[in-house]
Amino acid sequence: MLKGIILIICAATCWGMGGVAGQYLFQYHQVDAFWLCMVRQIIAGSLFLLYTAVITRHNIFKILREHFLSVLCFSFVGILGAQLGFYYTISLCNAATATVLQYTAPILVMVWMSYKNRSLPEGRELLGIVGAIVGVFLIATHGSLDSLAISPFALIVGLLSAVSYAFYSIQPVELLKKYPATVIIGWGQLLSGLSLIAVRNPFAPVGSWNGYAYLAMAYLIVGATIASYALYLAGLKIVGSTKASLISCAEPLASIIAVVLLLDTKLVLPDYIGMGSIIFTVLLLSIPKK
């Protein structure tokens, strides 16, 4: 059990540090968010598909023949919306804020399931909605109605990325019953990344690049995508989905700590209270009902 918990914490930390690596590239190397997402998703998607075809020997093209429209929908509405929205929000504010805003996705999933089941949220679900609203309000306004603490555009993009992430969590449920997660994520990453070639040239990187920038980019592809996914699956097999979802709340905590200590990002008390409110809400909703 201890091994499983450590694996999930490592996976969550890898995810959280991915946002920090993105902020480093935006803040110190003026890298373009569209180019970063495009290259990251093309390479990561190709690696996922290569692993599925070579190591697990699964037919990676079968899903395209049988469920092409579902894969396209997952690629563009789910992965592209969540990933591009996430990194674009980081470029507009910081990794901690972008991570916590996207962390409102479980609340959106809960609201959708309540609507689908024709049942009003009650008890802790209602408390979760209130907690999420309070958290977003504090992050956006620092408690003052006179002005916004972050730009309205950053807030909108961050919340839209949460909507896409909620869709990402719901839409592929039926596909996951028939195909490995690696083939679904692989095609989702690859197709969404290839679509960005229409607006960016993958062979013309924007920004100032040196050894540290290349290391940060390599981490985004290998550490924050491949390694985090592998660590999470390994831990999931040991601790189960409930404990895994609870421990995964280490992701925004890792992001908050890292941007403050490593990138000198200034957060104030309302930021911490708002982020804590959202993280607590997700923890609350992750605990199964008796």
Side-chain angles (χ1 to χ4, degrees):
M1 182 61 69
L2 178 61
K3 177 184 175 182
I5 291 171
I6 292 172
L7 287 170
I8 297 293
I9 291 174
C10 288
T13 303
C14 285
W15 280 322
M17 293 302 292
V20 178
Q23 181 176 332
Y24 169 77
L25 289 172
F26 300 141
Q27 186 172 321
Y28 294 103
H29 296 278
Q30 297 74 52
V31 173
D32 176 70
F34 283 80
W35 184 89
L36 182 146
C37 283
M38 172 181 60
V39 173
R40 174 180 178 269
Q41 288 174 209
I42 289 173
I43 296 175
S46 300
L47 290 174
F48 273 121
L49 292 174
L50 185 64
Y51 167 83
T52 309
V54 176
I55 304 300
T56 67
R57 298 185 178 280
H58 186 88
N59 183 348
I60 60 174
F61 298 103
K62 183 180 179 182
I63 191 173
L64 295 183
R65 291 196 302 267
E66 297 179 351
H67 301 280
F68 183 67
L69 289 179
S70 293
V71 173
L72 276 185
C73 192
F74 175 68
S75 300
F76 296 119
V77 181
I79 287 189
L80 185 60
Q83 293 298 312
L84 181 57
F86 174 65
Y87 283 102
Y88 195 42
T89 305
I90 292 175
S91 72
L92 295 170
C93 52
N94 60 73
T97 300
T99 302
V100 174
L101 285 177
Q102 195 175 68
Y103 237 64
T104 59
I107 291 93
L108 299 176
V109 172
M110 183 266 295
V111 171
W112 165 253
M113 294 307 294
S114 295
Y115 168 77
K116 186 178 178 181
N117 296 328
R118 299 294 189 271
S119 62
L120 291 173
E122 56 184 34
R124 66 180 180 184
E125 285 89 357
L126 193 58
L127 181 61
I129 294 172
V130 173
I133 292 172
V134 169
V136 172
F137 172 77
L138 288 173
I139 291 170
T141 68
H142 286 176
S144 172
L145 293 173
D146 296 332
S147 61
L148 288 176
I150 62 174
S151 73
F153 189 52
L155 180 61
I156 291 169
V157 174
L159 291 175
L160 285 176
S161 77
V163 172
S164 289
Y165 193 66
F167 180 86
Y168 172 100
S169 305
I170 297 169
Q171 193 263 350
V173 170
E174 293 303 316
L175 291 177
L176 286 167
K177 295 177 181 177
K178 301 178 182 178
Y179 307 98
T182 50
V183 77
I184 299 170
I185 295 173
W187 280 118
Q189 295 267 17
L190 181 60
L191 293 175
S192 61
L194 289 174
S195 71
L196 292 176
I197 292 177
V199 294
R200 292 292 188 275
N201 181 355
F203 301 104
V206 178
S208 58
W209 290 83
N210 59 19
Y212 293 113
Y214 285 117
L215 279 174
M217 189 68 193
Y219 176 79
L220 276 171
I221 296 167
V222 179
T225 307
I226 307 298
S228 61
Y229 181 79
L231 288 167
Y232 184 79
L233 284 185
L236 182 65
K237 291 178 181 178
I238 298 173
V239 304
S241 58
T242 300
K243 286 188 175 69
S245 61
L246 289 169
I247 301 166
S248 292
C249 285
E251 178 188 354
L253 292 175
S255 183
I256 293 166
I257 293 168
V259 297
V260 172
L261 296 181
L262 302 179
L263 299 182
D264 199 30
T265 299
K266 303 299 181 186
L267 299 176
V268 296
L269 184 59
D271 287 319
Y272 291 113
I273 296 174
M275 291 175 180
S277 177
I278 292 173
I279 294 169
F280 173 76
T281 294
V282 174
L283 279 167
L284 188 68
L285 295 177
S286 298
I287 301 171
K289 294 179 180 179
K290 292 184 180 180

